[in-house]
Each structure stands twice: as C-alpha cells, then as structure tokens.
Amino acid sequence: MPESDYPQGRDTRVTRLDPSAEVIALAVESDQLEPLDPNRKRRKGLGFAAWLAIIWIVGLLALAILAPVLGIPDPNKSFPEIARKGPVAGHLLGGDANGRDLLARIIYGTRASFAVGFGAVAFGLLIGGFLGLVTGFFRGVTDSIITPAMTILLAIPQFVLALSLVTVLAAGDDVSSTRRLGVVVLGLGIVSIPILGRITRANTLTWSEREFVLAARAMGAKSWRIMFRDVLPNVLPAMLSIALLGVGIAIVAEGGLSLFGVGVQLPTPSWGNIIAENRDQLRRSPQIVMFTVVVLFLTVLALNYLADVVSKRFEVRESVL
C-alpha cells in the first residue's frame, strides 16, 4: 500500500512489528482516545446538596475536636434545674433525665460515634478491600478459598455477629471505656469485611480484564505492580462509595448495641448510649431522644448522599467508537 493511503494522524509503523506489539500499541492508543459521544456533558461541580452534606460532616467533626475550647459545659456535669427540660437560657437543647447538658453530650458523643463509624469501616476497608482486590485479580485457588469464607460471614446476621463479638471481648464491669470503644470498633469492623471485600472483588474482576491491564501484562509488568498501580485506582471510587454507606450503618449499629448495653460504655457519651439511656423518657420528655435522633438522621443522610455523589461522579461510562 502506498504511504499516502495510510490514515492520517496515526503512526502505523507498528504493523511491521510482531503481533503482540501491535496489540499493545492499539490498547494504549484506545485508552488515550476521548469518547466520541456528541451528547456528552461537561462535568459539573458537586452541587449545592453535596456541599451541604460536606459542611454538616466537617462541622460536626470540628465541633467534636474543638469541644474543650468551645466553652460548653462538662458533658457529665449535672444541672438539676434543667433535668428533662427543653431549651433554656444557657442550655440550647436543655438537659437529659439526669440534668446534664444535652448539647454538650451530643457534641462530645460525636467523638465516640465518629470513631466507631469511621474506625470500623477503615478496618473493614483495609482488610476486606485487600482481600477483595487479591481474589479478584489473581482468582484461582486464592479466590476459591477466600470468597466462600466471605460468603459464610455474609450468611450470618451482621448485627448478631457484632453483638456476640462485643459481648465476648468486652464483657464485665471492669472493662475500661477505651477498651470497650476499641472492641466495638473491632466488632463492627469484622462485620464490614465481607461486604467491602465482595464489592472490591466484583469491581476488580471487571477492571483486571481491561485493555490497559492486558497491555501492561504483555509488556512484562509484575502482577502486584499492575494490581496496585493500574487496577486499584479504578476500583477505589466504588470502595469509597460503599465505605461512606458503611460509616452511617456502623454509627446506627453502635446505637443498636447500646440498647443491649454493649455499646460505648458510660459515662463516655455517644449518640447511641444517649438514646439508650433516655429511652424511658419518650413519654415524659421526648425531646431528649428526638434531638439526638435528628442529629443521627442528618448525619446518616449526609453520608448516604455523599456516597451517591462519589458513585456518580467517578462512574466510568464506556463509549462505542
């Protein structure tokens, strides 16, 4: 074929090399091409609702960290005159059944609730994410051993498993608040491992068959390098999306554990044990529980919305060329 007959703008010299080189060049080239979708819209910002969710989460985190310098009362100090009362002067949310400032307990309780939620999911993401990445990439014997184990864990009721772990590992009145908090994080983290692992494995199975991965293998790149450098960055959005959902679930689960008396140990406040401690006041002073429930609801709603934003914003859409 005369040189003038070659398509313009593309280097076709790879056709004179061996077939594997041609596959590599075309694979790399295809990954660099922009999608030819005439209806494609420019990527928009996060949106007003997403920024509200971020401000809410960051604001709660800032209040929890700066609580000692905010001038709010000690969360364990009792003020008998505000017991079971709603908002009064000097106490924006009133007091609980024991006369402790409810706003102070909610702010300080954010520390424990966020520690449980983010700590448990971070533990599950580290262990489950790694196992899911390995099983989805290498498959074979590794997949046939680890994946059935995750399936068995998923078959066990998650709340019952967490309740059993915390009861066994942190039973007794002599357990310190720090140890109980650590055990709650560990128990909920173990529960989250199979969920995060299965999500990671499913996405890894898809990405490990993409053209750029096959090209990297053909060029002699090591498997572990491909897995962490090429596959993991593309799997991370799905992992982060389900992780944000998991944080909200873990915070709610801690509240459920507190109702059974095995959540964060008093007097350390958490949203869960505030609700559990004052549940018998629902008829007489429902605002004690309702204020805490509203904060819990808005936090879980913000986390769920941010998870949806992450999923949509980083979703990879294939285009037909």
Side-chain angles (χ1 to χ4, degrees), residues 158-182:
Q158 303 298 301
F159 185 78
V160 174
L161 178 59
L163 179 62
S164 302
L165 289 171
V166 176
T167 302
V168 171
L169 297 176
D173 298 331
D174 58 340
V175 178
S176 65
S177 299
T178 303
R179 180 181 174 185
R180 175 69 69 83
L181 179 62

Side-chain angles (χ1 to χ4, degrees), residues 184-302:
V184 171
V185 171
L186 178 63
L188 294 176
I190 292 174
V191 166
S192 65
I193 287 176
I195 300 173
L196 295 167
R198 292 298 294 269
I199 294 295
T200 305
R201 175 183 177 273
N203 283 272
T204 303
L205 287 172
T206 300
W207 283 101
S208 61
E209 296 298 327
R210 293 293 299 271
E211 291 84 355
F212 62 89
V213 175
L214 299 178
R217 283 173 172 168
M219 294 173 67
K222 295 182 179 180
S223 297
W224 288 95
R225 180 182 181 277
I226 297 173
M227 185 175 69
F228 284 111
R229 183 172 179 177
D230 298 323
V231 177
L232 179 59
N234 293 289
V235 176
L236 271 178
M239 295 171 64
L240 293 178
S241 177
I242 197 66
L244 287 172
L245 291 174
V247 171
I249 294 173
I251 292 175
V252 174
E254 188 278 325
L257 293 175
S258 295
L259 291 174
F260 287 91
V262 294
V264 176
Q265 189 175 26
L266 293 170
T268 302
S270 74
W271 296 343
N273 63 29
I274 292 173
I275 296 172
E277 189 180 17
N278 296 279
R279 64 184 183 276
D280 57 345
Q281 301 294 324
L282 280 172
R283 289 182 178 272
R284 185 175 179 180
S285 303
Q287 77 278 356
I288 300 174
V289 172
M290 294 309 299
F291 282 142
T292 310
V293 168
V294 168
V295 174
L296 177 60
F297 167 76
L298 292 176
T299 302
V300 175
L301 179 64

